[in-house]
């Protein structure tokens, strides 16, 4: 059996959904069972986040107008896929949007939006798209049954916006979806969403449908998990910024995690984690060219001494926060306190560097949380008298090069730095992961495209590697 994932672009409208359904049917027709995880239609998650914050700010009229257009878009797709106004699917879509409207009205009246209500609101994207995929499958003769992440058995912790599956999720998913598969149905699960054991809706973080698919893959003991994409596979760089980016035939779990962590939008950073124990392969495949093998991700790395780096990635929208003061020298407590405070506030730190004098620590955090991070650090450290300065540098990005072949190879950093120097890129911070799988650099955001292209060229990533 194979688990297949379809993201927002491949669920974008009736014709995209019909085409995605045909990719499922090709496999079921060949006698292989399939379980499907789907994302919300393209743009819907962002619209719902907008709806939630409009309601919180008191613009209920605007929020309800957005819900009305979401309802119209889904009903139109359903009608194009053959479901009339009185069909079960149309009724379900109307009921779901009615419930969404009530939820948002509650937020609008209270002008209060908790992480929990935001997750509930945003979950409607995937709850509305799954019936459309099931409809498209039924239309081409594949018997299907759609269900939300929670109904499928994906129980999670209560970390709203960033929830993780609980151990019992795997047995529940196996039981519930196995039952459907056993009677000849193709389950269509709303991606990105789960439920706490008490039945409260949670989300797995942006791009979470990849993660849903791999959780299903592990639960069902799938042969492979296929994430269908609008690109050939995982590429040597984002093809939107590097025109000669090339498809990577093979990556290890560790490499793909590193790439995703450092900004390659193509997969959720945790997506491969559920597959590792059972060594289930992940394939990233091109929906436009289903015969193309795409990228195969497995446990082992295929390294080639001539090409230590496999890909370049970038994360935009960051700030560098520098905490300093001569009093910090030789006081290890300060550093641990800094990390404790940020962890308590749930502020992810993308990169860290401590000057060798120990007088300052620089942290790279998301631009939107930088002001909050500075405030909580100031509050926590003011009593120490050691820390004097807090500096925030905005418009920062991280560029990273990734590849298991870098391990133990000399000259990789030198090659990278000289390429960036030639491209006039100013380096703000440098770090190398202890696993030697990546080198990451903080730079000014305006230099990202130049830096990514320079690194891509320096490691000859646009060239097909010579056969060995
Ligand atoms: N290294 C990379 N390889 C492939 N795609 C990448 C990479 N880095 C960024 N991307 C971007 O990721 C996009 C695919 O991810 P996304 O749209 O989230 O997938 P989905 O359709 O499953 O939601 C591509 O359109 C591409 O521009
Ligand atoms: N809809 C969610 C989950 C997801 O995975 O979407 P996509 O596959 O379109 O990136 C999001 O936008 O984050």
């Amino acid at each position: 059996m194979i688990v297949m994932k379809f993201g927002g672009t491949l669920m974008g409208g009736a014709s995209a959904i019909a085409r995605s359904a045909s990719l499922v049917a090709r496999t079921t027709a060949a006698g292989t069972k399939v379980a499907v995880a789907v994302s919300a239609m393209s743009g819907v998650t962002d619209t719902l986040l907008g709806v939630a914050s409009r309601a919180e700010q008191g613009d209920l009229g605007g929020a309800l107008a957005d819900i009305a257009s979401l309802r119209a878009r889904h009903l139109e797709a359903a009608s194009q896929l053959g479901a009339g106004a009185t069909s079960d699917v149309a009724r379900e879509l109307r009921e779901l949007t009615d419930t969404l409207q009530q939820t948002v009205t509650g937020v609008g009246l209270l002008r209060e939006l908790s992480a929990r209500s935001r997750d509930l609101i945003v979950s409607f994207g995937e709850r509305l798209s799954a019936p459309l995929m099931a409809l498209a499958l039924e239309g081409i003769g594949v018997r299907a049954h759609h269900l939300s992440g929670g109904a499928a058995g994906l129980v999670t912790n209560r970390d709203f916006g960033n929830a993780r599956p609980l151990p019992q999720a795997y047995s529940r998913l196996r039981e519930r979806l196995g039952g459907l598969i056993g009677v000849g149905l193709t389950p269509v699960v709303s991606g990105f969403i789960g439920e706490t054991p008490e039945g409260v809706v949670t989300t797995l973080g942006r791009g979470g449908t990849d993660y849903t698919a791999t959780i299903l893959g592990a639960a069902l003991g799938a042969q492979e998990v296929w994430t269908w994409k609008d690109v050939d596979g995982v590429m040597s760089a984002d093809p939107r910024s590097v025109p000669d980016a090339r498809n990577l035939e093979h990556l290890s779990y560790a490499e793909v995690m590193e790439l995703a962590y450092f900004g390659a939008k193509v997969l959720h950073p945790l997506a491969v984690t559920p597959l590792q124990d059972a060594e289930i392969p992940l394939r990233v495949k091109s929906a436009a060219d289903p015969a193309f093998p795409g990228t195969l991700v497995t446990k082992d790395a295929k390294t080639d001494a001539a090409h230590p780096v496999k890909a370049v990635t970038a994360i935009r929208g960051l700030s560098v926060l520098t905490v300093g003061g001569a009093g910090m020298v030789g006081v290890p407590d300060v550093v641990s306190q800094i990390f404790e405070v940020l962890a308590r506030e749930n502020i992810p730190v993308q990169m860290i560097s401590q000057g060798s004098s120990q007088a300052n620590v620089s942290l790279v955090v998301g631009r939107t949380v930088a002001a909050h991070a500075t405030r909580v650090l100031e509050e926590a450290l003011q009593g120490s008298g050691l820390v004097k300065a807090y500096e925030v540098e905005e418009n920062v990005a991280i560029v990273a090069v990734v590849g298991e072949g870098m391990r133990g190879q000399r000259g990789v950093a030198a090659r990278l730095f000289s390429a960036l120097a030639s491209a006039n890129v100013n380096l703000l911070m440098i770090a190398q992961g202890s696993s030697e799988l990546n080198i990451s650099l903080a730079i000014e955001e305006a230099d990202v495209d130049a830096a990514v292209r320079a690194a891509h060229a320096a490691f000859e990533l646009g060239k097909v590697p010579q056969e060995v």
Side-chain angles (χ1 to χ4, degrees), residues 5-10 38-46 122 125-126 191-192 205-211 229 265 268:
K5 180 261 174 162
F6 297 94
T9 315
L10 304 180
V38 293
S39 296
M41 294 176 88
S42 51
V44 169
T45 304
D46 286 333
V122 98
E126 273 72 8
F192 176 55
R206 296 306 304 265
T209 307
D210 294 321
Y211 197 17
K229 297 278 164 179
K265 285 268 156 52
H268 185 288

